[in-house]
Structure formats: structure tokens, C-alpha cells
Amino acid sequence: MEDQKIKRVYVWEIPVRIYHWLNALVVVTLAVTGYLIGNPLAIQSSAEAYLGYWFGTVRFIHFVAAFIFFFNFLFRIYWGFAGNKYADWKNFIPYTKKYIRECYDVLKLDILHIKVKPFISVGHNALAGLTYFLTFLAFLFQSITGFGMYSAMSDSFFPKLFAWVVPFLGGDFAVRQWHHLMMWFFIIFAVVHVYIVFYHDYVERRGVLSSMAGGWKFIEKDKPT
Amino acid sequence: MARRIVVDPVTRIEGHLRLEVEVKDGKVVDAYSSGTMVRGFEKILKGRDPRDAWAFTERACGVCTTVHALASVRTVEDALKIKVPPNAELIRNLMFCAQYMQDHVVHFYHLHALDWVDIVSALKADPKQTSAIARSISNYPKTSPKYFSDLQKKLTAFVNSGQLGIFANGYWGHKAYKLPPEVNLIGVAHYLEALEWQKEIVKVHTIFGGKNPHPNYLVGGVPCSININEVNAINDERLSYVGSLLDEAQQFIDQVYIPDLLAIAPYYLKWGGIGGGLKNYLAYGDLPTGSYWDTESFKFPRGAILNRDLSKVHEIDGHDVEQVKEFVTHSWYKYSAGDGGGLHPWSGETEFNYTGPKPPYDQLNVDGKYSWMKTPRWKGNAMEVGPLARMLVAYASGHKEVQELVNSTLKKLNVPVTALFSTLGRTAARALETKLIAGWSKEFYKQLLSNIKNGDTRTFNNKKWDPSSWPKEAKGVGMTEAPRGALAHWIVIKDEKIDNYQLVVPSTWNASPRDNEGKRSAYESALLGTPVADPEKPLEILRTIHSFDPCIACAVH
Amino acid sequence: MEESPTIYEQIRTSGYSRRDFLKFCAWVTAFMGIEASGIGNVVRAMETKHRLPVVWFHFQECTCCSESFLRSSHPIVAEIILDKLSLAYTETLQAAAGYQAEEVLYNTMKKYKGEYLMLVEGSVPTDNDGVYCCIAGKTSLDIVKEAAEGAKAIISWGSCASNGCIQAANPNPTGATPIHKIIKNKPIINVPGCPPIGEVMAGVIVYLLTFDRIPELDGMGRPKAFYSRRIHDTCYRRPNYDAGLFVESFDDESARKGYCLYKMGCKGPVTYNACAVTKWNNGVSYPIKSGHPCIGCSEENFWDNGPFYQHLASFPGFGIETTADDIGLAVGAVTVAGIAAHAVRANIKKRKLINADIEESKKEGGE
Ligand code: HEM
Ligand code: HEM
Ligand code: NFV
Ligand code: SF4
Ligand code: SF4
Ligand code: F3S
Ligand SMILES: [Mg+2]
């Protein structure tokens, strides 16, 4: 019955979806292992050191996840140029008046619960795009500081590319401190992000939530895509 | 007319000391002592974790390293009412003793000796005769004629090289040098031996505190754990290491330091009547054989002597806000209530206020402010602190061991008790207490072993470690005897942070400028009457000042 | 420098045999980590080099770097360093004082212009035109500039000279500044540590003398030979770290077994120094081995990276134990509360909307 009013739009291609869920998984892994690295559990054991390696394992998982995280991220940057228009890098950078106005409108919706216009972009809304842009910067920062620290523990060429970071930020301690603090950015981002996704799904009624799984959104037919 | 002589830098000390001395008819008639470098520790400590303060204050000085750390942990423990386990007290004592032995020996040979020993004259010594003298004063093994002639060759080559290094422009040949060439050669030999030796005894710090200089301390005890069944803790290997270091140290002190003092002193007995200065002496005491809280158990007793009256020892109380006060009338600071009054350290203020001449300058304005040191007073009195004060307070308190050692030494040198109040007396007191300490350190060591044997291995009390267990506000004072004298830190803790922290340091007592009433402190008093044969060459001034073993980084902080 | 003898001549005239000399060269070679085949170069270098004139300044410092240097323990070295260098100016040890001391300094600076090695212990205060440190009536700021002019190279001893150390800690009351921030046109070697290890100090000097060049430096101007490894990667307690065996309180069971001190605030993971390898005072121990966490004393800013007994720094303006985690948790809690409030409001709005929709569809159905 509503068929004539709604149409399907293929927004998130498979690479974006794989990227997204892989990213979600490794970020959670990195935050959990990172937290443990910063605040190890008190496991009082009479075992000798050579019998255990749990903390080493936690670090190992952190580093493996870190590599996946980093290359997954690089891939997404590539896809910002290769993917469809919803994945395009332009979605993330507020360089037009329209973009900024839309940010403002979304803020009204999200904070004041005032729906200014019935319509918001089909892909990311502008504000979301901006937030993701900040998140990408955070990804970059976390990778740089992470590999900067890692460069002292590795002889491999790749982490060594980041060795300059440590003197640049004034020593390992500062790097670690920033790296640790940034973990909280990710935790808070994830909480807000997930909530907002549910919320927009709820007010927009466009299938935002399921879109990142299936790729499709549902929008009013009279709207341009 | 008196002539103003400026000695800046005063070398062979720690830190930046400037002396301006008025000389008239070959004698010092007035003197001004100035500390010319400041770092602002008391400002930096504000707002920090009181448990970290030891590490900061320890950096006041790397020469008397550890003593500020000790004063600091005691200050915090006093404020928070923490009692450390007996082993921690003993380990602290052992580190204290090691510090004294190293610091005093280095002072005697490397900082003070060149005031009395003429290196160049040693070139003329007869090695055989030198050997004979060396053998007559000690059974130290290195006394053969060959040992001395080899050394003499080295020395000759060094002097002939034309690059005299640290000996360049020394006061060689000055007529105030009185030692025969042979004794000078012994002095040179032991200068080098002591340089080798000093790096050994500090290993006691390395074992218990991980490094030297600047070993680690801990509020509530000591950081090292004892476990005789573990390779990763203080075990019997580590303990035996300490034991043999203490043995070797005692040997060096008995066979080299003390005999050298007794060999050199007779040529300079005149200095038993020069450089006395103040008549008041102050010692906080230290080396508890029980606990720090039980002052009766101290090896070095606590007390003050006024007017050289050895029949009465006055009581000292760091918590009494009327006793110790600091003045800034002549110091480059300002007090919010005006610079005329004194402040007890709990309400102490550290606010820079440089009013001196614009550098480069030739002369300070000594009528105004002229030093970065504050001026501490005890009940309004200027006090001398240091080895001499410690020995006198112990002597006057009826300390048997001290009395015997002092009396027998006076007898050996054939001088009256009054010779103690002098440049020579100070230098002798330092050597004597080193000898005592070498003996005491072995008592502490034995006690530590016996505690462990009896099953007590505790080294730390963690009850008040967590800041949430602290009162909202607390005040403390921690006292110790640093090698250069009475040292105390005062702390005010508020909301788990340092609200105020003040160090009142031995060299501050001794080297400070005049107080609000114009009274001189120890250096300035001691210089009065010191003979100066050649105003171009301040050798005698150095003698008296070096007898205090100045440490100006400490004093100013 | 024509009349100054070579190190070899110096050693020979000091009463050592050629054998002693070769032994010394072998030791230097091994110490520098050079392959045995390189020993010939060392011997040649020592035979032809003159005694290097050296001036050693003390500014804002505690003299513990000098003290540490004196602890350098390989026996022949203690003497050779006296003989091999010509330590013309060093307030701690030199015989002359006052005018005579300054005279030696200026003579050396004049005579050996461009050739002398300048060693600096301590930072330089720059606030208030530098009045916080004066020697012979001159500010350390003026002295350091004047002396650097003719120096061949500079070594910044300790954390004071290489990064400002304690007097540069917040609020840096005197504007204490490390040497490399004042002198820009000379080779400067930073040898940080509070103090640096004596053998490391001696090692840096021997390197300069032997090879007549600046050792390879890392990104922070420190010789790689001693500062290329983290304490943590060379710490003998590392297996305990990897196994997750940590000391939870000083002198607990784990402390008595020598477990890892990470949770007591150990800065080993962020500190580059030779402590765990070279160790202190001729290899006797190092802080961790004696039960205390590393406080990171060779790292820039380490006094403000505290408090010492926690793994991360406190944030300025918060309580002493406020770490990134506490702040993160607080922000997280605020976020969650905000979301909850938002959700409640959104629900009320939506309910109205739904009710309106229902009303509308009812009407529609009614027609
Ligand atoms: C979202 C991404 C990430 C988060 C949330 C995260 C979080 C953390 C946290 C909280 C710590 C503990 C810091 C401390 O308290 O000492 C840590 C340590 C570390 N992280 Fe990450 N991290 C992330 C990404 C990365 C990446 C991309 C790398 C790259 C290699 C990396 C490398 C490291 C390293 C080397 C350490 C120090 C581990 C050690 O020394 O044992 N991290 N991380
Ligand atoms: C239950 C968990 C999650 C759900 C349901 C979810 C859902 C979504 C949805 C629907 C979008 C598209 C939003 C839009 O149209 O504006 C999106 C985008 C995004 N999400 Fe998530 N997300 C989740 C977890 C995470 C986590 C843990 C992260 C990691 C930090 C993350 C990072 C991102 C990023 C970076 C984008 C932008 C995607 C792009 O265009 O590349 N998400 N997410
Ligand atoms: N004055 C002083 Fe110190 C000592 N002894 C400390 O308290 O020298 Ni550096
Ligand atoms: S680096 Fe540390 S040890 Fe060296 S002088 Fe400075 S405060 Fe003292
Ligand atoms: S004690 Fe310190 S340096 Fe050693 S393994 Fe543990 S954290 Fe690393
Ligand atoms: S505190 Fe310093 S002495 Fe070494 S172990 Fe850490 S760098
Ligand atoms: Mg003070």
C-alpha cells in the first residue's frame, strides 16, 4: 500500500560494509586490550613467569588488531575515491554552505527534537559525515602514536617509519599518555554513534540501522537520490 | 682602609658561593657570603603528591645525595603518622652511614686537602723517607718506597706536560703551606687512592636503593624487599656484599683517613685557634637504634649548645613554631608580611625578589639583600651546624664513645678542648665522626641480620599508602643529620597534595647572609680574624670556608 | 697545541708500559662495542692524539653528574681520564678559586679556541635576564654563549643540561632552559639521566677522543650507544610483565619475588637508558633490581609525568590521582546520562507522533 511512496536506494556497497564491521570489531578489541595494557588485572598467582604469557598475549592481540585496523583504514581512504557517491570523501569535509546548513539542521533535530525539513541526505547526514571525519583523524592519530611506540619494539621496516613520532611528541611517555587518552574518544564515540544510529532509524524511518548490514536505505519516492 | 676581596667562584665545594671579604692589616675584618644560584624547589613542590617529594628534594644535591630523601620521607611519615618497620629504619641507617663515609672522605681528600697539601712540593720528596713516615703512622699496605717513587714519577711527568688540568693556577708555594715534601707526597698518594675507594662504599646505596648518586627511597619504609630464598630480593649474597663493603670502608678510614689527619694536623695547630666563629651549635641528631620516633635511641643525640656552654644541652622541637624561623631581610625574597620578620617553615614563603646589581657586576650591595639563601635562626640565635656541632652536642650530652674519642685525640695532638672551636676542630670532628660511623654501621648491619634470622623481613608499612586514607589536612617535620649538619623539611598537606614544603638546610644555617638584626651566620663569623698573607691568593679564606664543606645547591634549593 | 703530548706519550710518561697502553686500547675497543679488528685504529688514534683541553661548567644543577662521573669504575680509566684530558676548569675539583680559576678558564678558551671540549652540567635560567645563576658576577646565560663560541663540541651532562630537569618542572620558576635550546650552531651531545650512569659518561668521552667524532645520536640528541633501548626491553623482570605477574603493593609477596613493577608506576616502558644493561656503580644493581620502579629520569619532562607511583600522569588541574582513565570515565558517564535523557525526550515526542498517526489512521479508517 505504501509501495508507491517509498523507494529503495543502494547506499553502502559491500566493501564499505565489510570495512565498517571489521573496523567496529578491531576498535572494540583495541579498546579492550588497550585498557588492559594500561590497567592490568591483579592476577596473583604463584606460577612462575615462564609458565604464563597472558599479558604478552593481550599485547599481541592489540598489535595484530592494530595492523588490521590500520590497513582497513587505509582501504577506506582508498574507497573514498573509488566507491559510490555515498562513500565519497566529499561527504566528510564541510566545504560548502549547504553542508554547514545541514549540520545545523541535524543538530536541531538531534538536540531540540525539531524537524526543520522533512528531508535529510540519503547517505550520511552532514553532521554524521563530519563526525566520521573527526573519527578518521582520530584513527590517524591513534595509528601514528601506536606505531610510534611500536617502532621501539620492532625491527620491521613498517613501524620504523613512525619512529619520528616519539621525539616529535616529546618522548614515549607523552605518546603513551595521548594514545591512552584517545582510547576514551573511541569508547565515547562508539556509545554515541550506536545510539544516534538507533535514534535516526527511529525518527527517519528509513532503515538507517539495517542499511549498514544490507546496504539499502528506504526513502520517499519524490526525493532525488 | 680595609680592602674588599672577592672570591667567586669558591671552588672545591658544591654549588655557587661568592665571598666578599674585607681585609685589613693581613686579617679579615668583615665578610659576606652569598649564594648566587637558585632553582625554586619550594615553588615546584607545591601541588604535588607528598609521596614523590623525596625524589624532588633529593635532587637538591648530588653530593650529599640521599639525605634530603631521608628528611623528606620522614616529613611525610610525621604528617601522616606512619611508623616504618625496624628493618627499614636499619637500612636507612646503613645508607646514612655509607653516605657519611663517602662524603667525608671525598671532602677531606678532594675538596679540602689542597688547602693544606702542596702538590708541587711533593715533587721534592724522598720516596724512602716518605715510605718510612707512611709506615710509622699506619699499617696500610701501600707504603713501599717504590709505590711512592712511581707516583712521584707520574706526578713529575704530569707537571712537566705543561697542561696542569685541575691543578693549574693553584696556590703552590704559598707560604701558608707547612707540610714537609714527604707528607705532601703521602697526601697526593691518598688523594688518588681515595678517588678509587669512594666509588666502592656507595655500592651500599646501589644495593638498597638501586643507584648512586640519587638512590631510591619510599614513604613508609624502603623500596627493596628482603627474601633470603629469592634471587630477586635482598638475599644473603646482597647482604654479604654490604658486609664486605662496610669492612673495607672501615679499613680505609682507620688506615688512611684518620692517620693522615693525625699526620697533617700537627703542622697546622695554629689553625686550632682560627676560624671559630659562632658560639652556638645545633644538632637534630640521628641514627636511631630503636625508632626515629624515639630520640633517646639516637646514636647522634639531638640538642643545642649556646655560648659554648658544654654543661647544658637545650631541647629542640621542630613542631614548636617559635623555635626555627627563617628571615629574608638580606635575601632575594619577599615575605607578604614584610621582610623584617621571621617565618616558621610551616608558614614559610618562597617568593623571588632579586634586588642585586645588574650582571655583570663586581661587587654586591651588602647593605641590602645579597644572597639567594634565607637566614635560619633557632630561638633567634645564629647556630653553627655540622660535624663539630654534632660532636659537641654528643660530648655535652655525655655520650661516652664520643667523649673518649675526642679526649684521646686532643691528647694525641696535645691541644686544649678550646682548639675544637676552630677551622682545625671542624676538620678533625668530621674525621672522628667518620670513624665512629664506620663502627656503628657494623652494629646496624648485625642487627639487620639478626632481625632477618628471627623471621622479621618487613621493609614497608602500607597502611597509609593510599591517599584516601589521609586526613584532609596534616603537617609534619622530618629531621636528620646531613653530613654538613642539621637538616629538616617541613610539609603541609592539604587534600592529598603538598600545600607548602620548606627545606631548611645545613649549609643554609652556615652560609646564610645576616639576619634582621644584622647578626652574622657561621661562615661570616668564622672568617673574622682569619689571616690573609697575600690578598691576591685567598688560600686561608678557603681553608676556613672549606672546613664547613659548603654545599650551596643544598643551601639555596 | 704544539707542546701537548699525545695520549700515548702521556700514558707512557705517567709510568704505564706499552703493554698497559695496549690493554687500555683493547678495553676501550671492547667498551665501544667495536669489533676486535678495530683495535688497530684505536691504538693509532691514541698514539697520535693530544690531550684534549676540557672546560666543565656548573650552572643550575646538583653536582650529581660530576659525582656520577667520579664513580666510573674501570680502574685504569679513572686515572687515564685525569691524564688523557686536560680538565682545565671544573669548579668541583680544581685547586684554584675565584680570580685564579677564572684566569685558567679564559686562558684555555683563548689558547685552544675551536679545539676545547665544553661540558655542561646544569640548565641555564633565562627569566629575569638570567640573574638566577651567576658566576664571578656574570650570568650563566652569558657564560654559556661566550664559551660555546670557541668550543669544538658540547656535551650536555644529565637531564639538567639536556632537558632542563627538576628546575624546569612546572612552574619552572627561573625559566630553566637546556643547552641545546640556547646554543644552535655547535654539535651537542645530550647525555640525559638524573644523573647519567658514570660509565656512560666516561664512554661518551672515550668515544669522542678515540674516534674524533660525535657518536651517532638518536632523535633526541642522545648517543645511540647508550640510549637506543627502553629499560623495559632490557629489564630482567620483563618475563613477569609478559606473564602478567605484577607487584600490587611494595613489599607484598610479589615484590618479594621480584615481579614486574609496572603497576607501581614503573616508567621502564617509556624510558630509554642503559640502566638495565650497564647497570649502576660497576654493574651492582639498578632501580628496578632494588625494588623501586623506574621514574624515567632520562626522559624529557619526567618530573611532570608523575605522580611517580602510577602508570599514567595525572592531569594538571585535577587531583593528584586523576588519570586519563578517570577523566575518560567521567566523560563517559556524562555521555551515557545525556543519551538517557535524550532517549526519554525523543520517546515522548515520538509517542505524540505515533498517537497523531493513530488518530489520523482512525479517521481515515472511519471514512
Ligand atoms: C582504536 C584504536 C586503539 C586504541 C583504543 C588503543 C588503546 C590503547 C591503550 C589504552 C593502550 C594502553 C596505554 C597505556 O596505558 O599504557 C595502548 C597501548 C598500546 N597501543 Fe594502542 N590503541 C589503539 C590502536 C593502536 C594502534 C593502531 C597501534 C599500532 C601499533 C597501537 C599500539 C599500541 C602500543 C605499541 C601500545 C603499548 C603497548 C605496550 O607497551 O605494552 N595501538 N593502546
Ligand atoms: C552496534 C554497532 C554499530 C552499528 C549498528 C553501526 C551502524 C552504523 C551505520 C548505520 C552507519 C551509517 C550511518 C549513516 O548513515 O550516517 C555507520 C557508519 C559508521 N560507523 Fe558504525 N555502527 C556500529 C558500530 C561502530 C563502531 C564500534 C565503530 C568504530 C569506531 C563504527 C564506526 C563507523 C564509521 C567510521 C562509520 C562511517 C562509515 C563510512 O562511511 O565509512 N561503528 N555505522
Ligand atoms: N648543606 C647541605 Fe647537603 C649536606 N650535607 C644537605 O642537607 O650537601 Ni649537598
Ligand atoms: S640531572 Fe639530575 S642528577 Fe644531574 S645535576 Fe641535574 S638534578 Fe642533579
Ligand atoms: S619492572 Fe618496569 S621495566 Fe621491568 S618489565 Fe616491569 S614495567 Fe618493564
Ligand atoms: S629512574 Fe633513571 S636510573 Fe634508570 S631505571 Fe629509570 S632511567
Ligand atoms: Mg628553604
Side-chain angles (χ1 to χ4, degrees):
Chain A
M1 41 154 209
E2 310 276 303
D3 289 18
Q4 59 276 73
K5 280 195 194 164
I6 302 287
K7 70 174 178 198
R8 276 174 11 134
V9 188
Y10 189 56
V11 185
W12 311 121
E13 302 149 291
I14 287 183
V16 174
R17 283 179 276 151
I18 293 178
Y19 155 76
H20 178 270
W21 292 113
L22 189 57
N23 185 51
L25 180 73
V26 289
V27 166
V28 170
T29 309
L30 284 165
V32 170
T33 51
Y35 185 83
L36 283 172
I37 293 171
N39 309 273
L41 302 172
I43 301 178
Q44 289 291 2
S45 137
S46 57
E48 288 301 324
Y50 65 85
L51 295 174
Y53 199 72
W54 80 262
F55 202 66
T57 309
V58 169
R59 295 175 61 247
F60 178 71
I61 295 171
H62 192 80
F63 302 147
V64 171
F67 275 94
I68 301 175
F69 168 77
F70 182 72
F71 288 108
N72 191 37
F73 170 48
L74 280 192
F75 165 77
R76 181 62 184 84
I77 293 175
Y78 161 73
W79 203 252
F81 297 92
N84 69 14
K85 67 174 179 182
Y86 303 110
D88 198 90
W89 62 273
K90 294 195 189 76
N91 291 301
F92 300 101
I93 300 168
Y95 64 101
T96 61
K97 259 216 179 101
K98 186 168 159 263
Y99 195 110
I100 296 166
R101 182 144 354 97
E102 191 178 318
C103 285
Y104 187 64
D105 292 345
V106 179
L107 272 178
K108 277 197 181 151
L109 171 65
D110 287 357
I111 296 174
L112 305 171
H113 302 291
I114 297 169
K115 207 164 167 185
V116 185
K117 277 194 251 159
F119 170 80
I120 295 175
S121 313
V122 179
H124 306 302
N125 69 53
L127 185 66
L130 181 60
T131 324
Y132 299 142
F133 179 61
L134 295 182
T135 315
F136 288 154
L137 291 183
F139 285 174
L140 192 67
F141 184 82
Q142 202 69 341
S143 304
I144 289 177
T145 52
F147 281 109
M149 283 190 278
Y150 193 69
S151 67
M153 314 169 193
S154 160
D155 281 330
S156 153
F157 91 97
F158 179 71
K160 289 279 177 225
L161 296 177
F162 295 82
W164 56 272
V165 177
V166 173
F168 182 74
L169 286 176
D172 267 57
F173 185 87
V175 176
R176 220 179 155 100
Q177 182 88 0
W178 284 112
H179 189 78
H180 190 113
L181 188 64
M182 195 55 92
M183 168 188 75
W184 287 100
F185 172 82
F186 284 98
I187 292 175
I188 289 160
F189 167 82
V191 171
V192 175
H193 170 68
V194 173
Y195 172 73
I196 291 279
V197 166
F198 275 84
Y199 170 69
H200 276 254
D201 190 60
Y202 180 64
V203 292
E204 287 174 22
R205 291 176 273 187
R206 280 174 168 181
V208 178
L209 182 52
S210 63
S211 71
M212 200 40 97
W216 298 88
K217 279 196 183 178
F218 306 91
I219 65 161
E220 299 79 356
K221 258 206 185 132
D222 50 339
K223 299 297 169 207
T225 53
Chain B
M1 251 292 280
R3 169 167 175 198
R4 174 81 60 95
I5 299 179
V6 175
V7 188
D8 182 5
V10 175
T11 51
R12 282 180 282 126
I13 62 162
E14 195 295 330
H16 302 289
L17 177 66
R18 174 184 179 96
L19 299 170
E20 296 200 3
V21 175
E22 304 276 340
V23 177
K24 200 177 164 189
D25 304 332
K27 273 209 163 87
V28 174
V29 292
D30 210 348
Y32 300 89
S33 151
S34 168
T36 58
M37 185 277 278
V38 65
R39 291 168 290 168
F41 275 46
E42 288 159 353
K43 290 151 101 58
I44 291 166
L45 279 160
K46 279 216 165 100
R48 300 193 184 253
D49 187 334
R51 294 169 302 175
D52 292 357
W54 69 261
F56 284 79
T57 57
E58 190 174 46
R59 268 69 183 182
C61 180
V63 175
C64 66
T65 179
T66 88
V67 299
H68 288 284
L70 178 60
S72 180
V73 294
R74 281 179 176 168
T75 309
V76 180
E77 287 157 6
D78 182 47
L80 301 173
K81 310 273 171 293
I82 299 169
K83 198 174 165 197
V84 308
N87 291 335
E89 211 78 85
L90 288 166
I91 290 174
R92 288 176 180 183
N93 282 354
L94 287 170
M95 292 175 75
F96 180 107
C97 293
Q99 180 57 33
Y100 265 63
M101 293 189 265
Q102 193 268 354
D103 206 346
H104 283 1
V105 167
V106 167
H107 173 260
F108 185 74
Y109 288 102
H110 307 118
L111 307 183
H112 206 13
L114 301 182
D115 299 338
W116 313 99
V117 173
D118 184 339
I119 301 251
V120 176
S121 139
L123 298 176
K124 299 194 294 261
D126 170 16
K128 272 213 201 80
Q129 225 182 312
T130 312
S131 159
I133 297 175
R135 282 177 179 156
S136 73
I137 59 172
S138 161
N139 46 4
Y140 188 57
K142 295 187 183 173
T143 49
S144 69
K146 170 132 186 10
Y147 169 79
F148 287 112
S149 71
D150 284 353
L151 171 72
Q152 204 179 30
K153 269 187 226 144
K154 258 202 255 185
L155 194 62
T156 312
F158 185 83
V159 171
N160 291 344
S161 80
Q163 284 182 299
L164 277 184
I166 60 173
F167 303 116
N169 248 10
Y171 306 105
W172 321 125
H174 193 289
K175 66 180 188 188
Y177 284 118
K178 302 285 185 207
L179 298 181
E182 287 70 25
V183 180
N184 280 323
L185 187 56
I186 294 177
V188 176
H190 294 168
Y191 182 104
L192 295 174
E193 298 291 345
L195 200 56
E196 281 286 318
W197 170 84
Q198 55 86 28
K199 68 188 180 357
E200 297 304 313
I201 182 61
V202 300
K203 290 177 181 168
V204 173
H205 291 180
T206 321
I207 291 168
F208 292 125
K211 69 195 254 220
N212 170 281
H214 295 336
N216 293 301
Y217 274 71
L218 186 68
V219 167
V222 288
C224 54
S225 287
I226 298 170
N227 185 348
I228 49 168
N229 298 311
E230 174 62 58
V231 69
N232 280 321
I234 301 299
N235 55 22
D236 71 334
E237 177 269 332
R238 298 271 98 179
L239 289 165
S240 324
Y241 202 161
V242 171
S244 52
L245 290 166
L246 297 177
D247 284 344
E248 285 159 23
Q250 190 173 36
Q251 247 172 43
F252 190 87
I253 288 157
D254 283 347
Q255 297 186 351
V256 183
Y257 185 12
I258 301 294
D260 282 356
L261 174 90
L262 294 175
I264 293 172
Y267 295 94
Y268 290 109
L269 289 182
K270 195 183 111 195
W271 285 84
I274 298 171
L278 295 179
K279 296 185 157 73
N280 307 322
Y281 302 90
L282 171 83
Y284 294 149
D286 210 319
L287 290 177
T289 53
S291 143
Y292 169 69
W293 303 89
D294 173 16
T295 45
E296 292 296 303
S297 80
F298 286 10
K299 285 280 195 190
F300 281 135
R302 177 175 293 178
I305 290 170
L306 292 178
N307 220 10
R308 295 192 183 157
D309 175 6
L310 297 187
S311 68
K312 176 143 180 56
V313 178
H314 302 263
E315 256 186 60
I316 292 167
D317 180 1
H319 292 98
D320 179 349
V321 296
E322 292 307 321
Q323 295 201 359
V324 174
K325 285 189 179 172
E326 284 194 302
F327 295 82
V328 296
T329 318
H330 289 282
S331 319
W332 288 312
Y333 301 90
K334 58 171 167 263
Y335 279 170
S336 51
D339 297 351
L343 292 177
H344 182 266
W346 274 334
S347 43
E349 298 173 11
T350 304
E351 195 59 53
F352 296 159
N353 176 27
Y354 184 76
T355 59
K358 190 175 153 44
Y361 54 77
D362 291 327
Q363 211 162 301
L364 292 168
N365 170 19
V366 293
D367 298 330
K369 295 172 183 286
Y370 63 91
S371 176
W372 287 113
M373 282 176 249
K374 295 178 184 171
T375 305
R377 291 291 180 254
W378 183 74
K379 294 191 173 171
N381 297 296
M383 311 294 289
E384 172 174 342
V385 301
L388 179 58
R390 273 190 294 269
M391 290 293 97
L392 291 175
V393 169
Y395 194 98
S397 308
H399 195 299
K400 285 274 149 356
E401 227 181 326
V402 171
Q403 286 178 340
E404 267 163 36
L405 185 62
V406 170
N407 289 340
S408 66
T409 311
L410 291 171
K411 216 167 120 199
K412 260 185 226 153
L413 294 173
N414 194 20
V415 290
V417 185
T418 50
L420 285 172
F421 309 120
S422 68
T423 297
L424 185 64
R426 231 169 260 127
T427 300
R430 186 172 294 109
L432 296 186
E433 72 174 10
T434 315
K435 182 178 168 62
L436 291 170
I437 282 194
W440 295 341
S441 68
K442 298 174 93 169
E443 293 175 26
F444 299 131
Y445 176 70
K446 280 203 197 97
Q447 186 61 45
L448 179 63
L449 290 189
S450 111
N451 287 358
I452 297 171
K453 189 171 167 200
N454 296 332
D456 181 2
T457 61
R458 292 166 304 143
T459 55
F460 173 66
N461 170 358
N462 77 350
K463 285 212 185 64
K464 289 282 179 65
W465 180 252
D466 187 353
S468 63
S469 67
W470 302 349
K472 223 182 133 36
E473 190 174 339
K475 285 179 176 181
V477 54
M479 296 180 149
T480 178
E481 278 295 326
R484 288 155 194 75
L487 168 66
H489 292 184
W490 277 264
I491 195 171
V492 180
I493 302 174
K494 252 190 210 146
D495 300 325
E496 306 178 6
K497 292 189 202 174
I498 295 174
D499 190 54
N500 197 5
Y501 199 107
Q502 295 279 323
L503 305 85
V504 182
V505 181
S507 295
T508 324
W509 285 97
N510 289 339
S512 40
R514 274 149 229 232
D515 63 19
N516 56 332
E517 295 170 359
K519 292 200 301 290
R520 294 182 184 86
S521 298
Y523 288 8
E524 294 182 352
S525 311
L527 281 173
L528 299 185
T530 295
V532 179
D534 178 355
E536 301 295 332
K537 295 187 176 156
L539 182 61
E540 299 94 332
I541 293 173
L542 293 176
R543 280 182 182 169
T544 292
I545 290 302
H546 281 155
S547 75
F548 288 96
D549 190 4
C551 176
I552 310 305
C554 262
V556 182
H557 44 268
Chain C
M1 289 223 297
E2 58 292 334
E3 77 270 55
S4 0
T6 67
I7 294 170
Y8 174 66
E9 286 159 352
Q10 195 58 41
I11 290 175
R12 287 305 303 271
T13 47
S14 298
Y16 294 101
S17 65
R18 170 132 188 115
R19 231 181 116 227
D20 286 336
F21 170 69
L22 292 176
K23 264 202 322 220
F24 170 68
C25 293
W27 177 83
V28 170
T29 313
F31 191 76
M32 303 315 303
I34 298 159
E35 285 173 25
S37 58
I39 190 168
N41 290 336
V42 176
V43 173
R44 226 165 301 125
M46 294 281 184
E47 276 174 344
T48 51
K49 289 244 166 63
H50 294 265
R51 259 168 83 212
L52 180 69
V54 175
V55 293
W56 181 315
F57 289 101
H58 292 257
F59 299 133
Q60 284 182 302
E61 46 79 293
C62 74
T63 310
C64 87
C65 297
S66 294
E67 287 281 347
S68 192
F69 186 65
L70 295 183
R71 310 286 193 270
S72 169
S73 60
H74 306 282
I76 188 170
V77 170
E79 279 179 39
I80 296 289
I81 293 244
L82 268 179
D83 293 347
K84 204 164 54 165
L85 304 170
S86 181
L87 196 47
Y89 183 79
T90 160
E91 286 174 66
T92 312
L93 291 174
Q94 75 189 112
Y99 171 77
Q100 287 79 11
E102 292 298 295
E103 193 181 48
V104 185
L105 172 64
Y106 284 92
N107 286 346
T108 307
M109 279 164 43
K110 213 161 72 205
K111 184 167 172 200
Y112 298 104
K113 194 165 167 57
E115 287 175 37
Y116 60 87
L117 179 63
M118 171 168 165
L119 312 180
V120 183
E121 182 172 356
S123 61
V124 172
T126 54
D127 284 1
N128 209 350
D129 297 326
V131 296
Y132 300 114
C133 179
C134 290
I135 298 155
K138 289 185 218 157
T139 65
S140 56
L141 191 57
D142 287 341
I143 296 171
V144 80
K145 287 181 186 157
E146 188 180 352
E149 196 59 37
K152 180 176 182 179
I154 301 175
I155 300 180
S156 292
W157 286 140
S159 293
C160 288
S162 38
N163 58 48
C165 204
I166 186 160
Q167 49 277 350
N170 188 37
N172 192 350
T174 60
T177 309
I179 305 309
H180 65 89
K181 295 213 172 134
I182 297 175
I183 304 300
K184 299 285 185 191
N185 57 352
K186 291 283 162 177
I188 299 183
I189 306 170
N190 286 333
V191 187
C194 190
I197 301 170
E199 285 80 7
V200 166
M201 299 175 77
V204 172
I205 290 196
V206 168
Y207 194 114
L208 278 168
L209 281 176
T210 312
F211 306 115
D212 200 16
R213 72 171 93 104
I214 304 290
E216 217 181 301
L217 305 178
D218 72 0
M220 306 186 88
R222 311 177 281 202
K224 283 192 180 159
F226 304 106
Y227 295 92
S228 59
R229 299 259 175 252
R230 298 189 303 164
I231 303 285
H232 188 58
D233 294 327
T234 45
C235 176
Y236 82 110
R237 296 195 179 195
R238 181 58 181 270
N240 295 294
Y241 173 86
D242 287 329
L245 298 172
F246 299 110
V247 173
E248 301 288 335
S249 160
F250 287 103
D251 205 31
D252 67 359
E253 263 319 296
S254 305
R256 290 179 190 168
K257 285 189 193 151
Y259 286 173
C260 167
L261 290 161
Y262 188 67
K263 292 176 88 170
M264 305 316 293
C266 186
K267 302 291 186 291
V270 292
T271 304
Y272 294 77
N273 205 343
C275 304
V277 184
T278 307
K279 303 207 173 71
W280 280 83
N281 307 99
N282 206 15
V284 172
S285 186
Y286 70 110
I288 292 161
K289 185 170 172 188
S290 294
H292 197 280
C294 168
I295 62 173
C297 77
S298 54
E299 288 293 312
E300 201 157 321
N301 224 7
F302 78 98
W303 294 105
D304 290 331
N305 289 346
F308 293 131
Y309 299 103
Q310 69 193 27
H311 164 63
L312 287 177
S314 289
F315 274 82
F318 296 86
I320 51 169
E321 301 226 307
T322 315
T323 63
D325 283 347
D326 299 303
I327 294 176
L329 268 175
V331 176
V334 170
T335 313
V336 170
I339 285 175
H342 186 274
V344 169
R345 270 194 69 187
N347 255 310
I348 296 170
K349 278 248 160 176
K350 186 93 181 189
R351 176 96 351 123
K352 279 187 192 151
L353 248 150
I354 293 173
N355 285 343
D357 270 9
I358 292 171
E359 286 302 310
E360 211 174 302
S361 51
K362 264 188 197 157
K363 266 184 219 152
E364 275 170 17
E367 266 173 10

